[in-house]
Amino acid sequence: MALVEPATELCELITSLSREDGVFGHVFPASEGSVPELVRAVALEAERAWRQYAVPGATGPGTVPEIAQAISPTGREQAVRLMARLAAEDLARSGLPRRDRAHTRRTAERVAHLLGQRAVWHTNIGDPSSGMHTWNPVTCHTFDRVVAGTGKGFIVVLLQVSED
């Protein structure tokens, strides 16, 4: 059995987590930018891809400093839980499962493992224990949630946008 390079495996895992419509994920070398810069890059991609669904005239954070203010640190376990939820559930249709939760949980755990115990995690969710009801927007969409982690030379970003 051939060993898979961490970068390749991370890309495969994030691609798996972001396969549903409205979920965007990327793996970046840490040298490519800061967490807010890379969250902004993924947010711009989501806004372009979902432009036709956005509320006319809607605006969101447009600068990296605004993104930096919208995200805050979170713990590893909470980040894993949030990644799994973003991949498995639709933000606008609470409780509507889109994917197998056990699979997304295992995938998110593997992402966290590859980033290491010293990984630093961020989210735009104000109080993750609240069931993802409060958040600071990072896009122009009605709903968005993001989790980003940095460790072992990589930054991963998983973002879901949705409209009701």
Side-chain angles (χ1 to χ4, degrees):
M1 183 165 133
L3 292 176
V4 177
E5 292 291 320
T8 301
E9 186 175 1
L10 276 170
C11 287
E12 289 170 356
L13 294 167
I14 292 297
T15 297
S16 172
L17 290 173
S18 62
R19 76 175 198 188
E20 296 299 324
D21 191 33
V23 183
F24 301 84
H26 286 283
V27 177
F28 301 94
S31 62
E32 199 162 314
S34 67
V35 169
E37 289 170 327
L38 299 176
V39 167
R40 181 64 185 141
V42 175
L44 285 171
E45 176 189 343
E47 288 176 341
R48 282 190 297 272
W50 270 59
R51 181 177 296 132
Q52 72 272 22
Y53 303 117
V55 174
T59 61
T63 67
V64 172
E66 289 173 317
I67 296 292
Q69 288 184 320
I71 61 175
S72 58
T74 193
R76 179 187 190 277
E77 185 56 34
Q78 189 63 38
V80 167
R81 203 169 321 152
L82 295 172
M83 280 190 289
R85 282 186 79 180
L86 291 178
E89 298 176 15
D90 188 297
L91 293 175
R93 290 155 197 85
S94 182
L96 178 66
R98 302 190 321 170
R99 306 233 351 241
D100 178 68
R101 288 183 177 116
H103 169 76
T104 60
R105 175 67 185 210
R106 285 188 307 272
T107 304
E109 286 173 350
R110 183 67 183 156
V111 169
H113 173 78
L114 289 171
L115 291 183
Q117 289 296 322
R118 291 188 167 167
V120 177
W121 294 95
H122 292 85
T123 186
N124 67 330
I125 300 166
D127 178 10
S129 66
S130 71
M132 295 180 27
H133 297 294
T134 62
W135 76 97
N136 298 310
V138 294
T139 71
C140 66
H141 293 283
T142 303
F143 302 103
D144 67 47
R145 306 293 190 278
V146 68
V147 178
T150 182
K152 294 195 176 179
F154 300 102
I155 296 176
V156 298
V157 177
L158 188 68
L159 166 74
Q160 186 186 145
V161 295
S162 193
E163 296 290 341
D164 55 358

